[in-house]
Amino acid sequence: MHQLLSLLLHSSHCVFLSGAGISTLSGIPDFRGSKGIYKQFDADKIFDIHYFRKDPAYFYTHGREFIYNLEEKEPNIIHKMLAKLEDEGMVKSMITQNIDMLHQKAGSRRVIEIHGSPAQHTCLHCGKKFPYELISPIVHGPQVVPKCDGCGGLVKPDIIFFGEMLDQDTLSQAISESSKADLMVVVGSSLVVHPAASLPLNTVKHGGRLIIVNNMPTPLDEYAYLRYPDLEEVFRYLEKEIR
Ligand code: ZN
């Protein structure tokens, strides 16, 4: 692991890419793991924009258990170390597939959320914005499905659902950062969902090095300069070495 540390210390533009695996330590279920969200709910419905428009109560009712309880979740050692590495100038940006807002809670400032975030909600009819703090109590109340107080339209979190376009500005930033990176470290992502799955290849294509820390194999393992299976072990080591 001293090799990893040395690369972190000497890289000039290090970018991290994080996935659901880093938040399981905070008690947030991942999507595709053995206790993942997709084992508990119908994946075709829960984040599908067409189904959401038809039956938003399905999303909001189940969302109580893994989105509208995020105020109770705390960043773990991985989120905290990543924020510290940014403070120390060793990380230029965080690209994340996560929608749990824990990087920001831990203090990371440059966070590129490629799948969006529930921090904001938008009325699908008039575009009015509503913060998470306003929506969460409604979801837990008798109404469950939040409606726009301006026009009565359906309100949806700014999470990218299946059937929706990614935010093009966000995607451009992620591509630009991964292309500029001389070191990309993937943490807790199995790299099966696009565009996250292809971002590390931008780094490799431009001559940067790729490190993968994940408990399961990924399709990009053959491109990895270093590969570690245990996130917690790696971050305990970094915590000890970087003070
Ligand atoms: Zn509205």
Side-chain angles (χ1 to χ4, degrees):
M1 276 191 272
H2 67 271
Q3 240 182 321
L4 162 67
L5 180 64
S6 166
L7 283 173
L8 275 176
L9 290 169
H10 297 112
S11 74
S12 58
H13 198 105
C14 173
V15 174
F16 272 71
L17 169 63
S18 69
I22 72 162
S23 291
T24 52
L25 280 178
S26 293
I28 296 172
D30 61 7
F31 289 87
R32 290 177 174 75
S34 55
K35 290 181 193 146
I37 286 169
Y38 290 164
K39 294 267 170 17
Q40 302 172 44
F41 315 123
D42 188 341
D44 293 335
K45 286 185 187 173
I46 196 94
F47 286 118
D48 182 278
I49 186 63
H50 305 292
Y51 193 85
F52 179 80
R53 286 178 187 273
K54 219 164 49 186
D55 179 17
Y58 186 81
F59 169 80
Y60 281 113
T61 305
H62 290 300
R64 289 172 181 163
E65 293 161 47
F66 65 100
I67 290 175
Y68 299 98
N69 61 356
L70 286 171
E71 58 269 50
E72 299 159 12
K73 305 292 179 184
E74 292 300 327
N76 62 53
I77 175 179
I78 303 168
H79 301 103
K80 289 177 192 164
M81 272 310 293
L82 289 170
K84 184 172 166 61
L85 291 172
E86 185 183 352
D87 277 346
E88 305 278 331
M90 290 159 71
V91 172
K92 289 289 183 277
S93 61
M94 279 299 323
I95 303 171
T96 188
Q97 297 173 278
N98 297 343
I99 52 172
D100 55 32
M101 306 178 283
L102 287 181
H103 283 304
Q104 290 90 338
K105 210 168 181 179
S108 287
R109 292 179 304 269
R110 180 108 173 87
V111 185
I112 302 166
E113 299 168 300
I114 47 182
H115 294 161
S117 160
Q120 286 287 344
H121 288 60
T122 303
C123 169
L124 293 179
H125 185 67
C126 76
K128 186 172 176 184
K129 297 280 184 188
F130 303 89
Y132 175 91
E133 292 72 22
L134 205 75
I135 297 297
S136 190
I138 298 172
V139 175
H140 286 282
Q143 193 184 325
V144 183
V145 177
K147 291 281 166 67
C148 176
D149 61 3
C151 76
L154 177 58
V155 173
K156 177 189 158 289
D158 289 3
I159 297 167
I160 312 290
F161 279 34
F162 295 115
E164 285 189 304
M165 292 274 288
L166 295 175
D167 181 73
Q168 291 306 301
D169 279 350
T170 307
L171 184 59
S172 301
Q173 285 176 45
I175 292 170
S176 162
E177 282 299 300
S178 56
S179 304
K180 263 192 276 184
D182 63 343
L183 180 64
M184 162 156 309
V185 188
V186 174
V187 286
S189 171
S190 298
L191 299 173
V192 289
V193 180
H194 284 278
S198 57
L199 292 172
L201 290 177
N202 294 329
T203 307
V204 173
K205 216 167 27 187
H206 289 87
R209 276 183 174 150
L210 172 62
I211 298 175
I212 297 177
V213 190
N214 195 52
N215 61 3
M216 288 191 283
T218 83
L220 299 190
D221 285 352
E222 60 180 303
Y223 299 99
Y225 181 72
L226 298 170
R227 173 87 177 77
Y228 304 92
D230 192 331
L231 269 166
E232 204 177 349
E233 193 183 325
V234 166
F235 278 82
R236 294 267 172 235
Y237 172 80
L238 293 177
E239 187 184 42
K240 187 159 57 74
E241 296 295 323
I242 300 166
R243 290 174 184 280

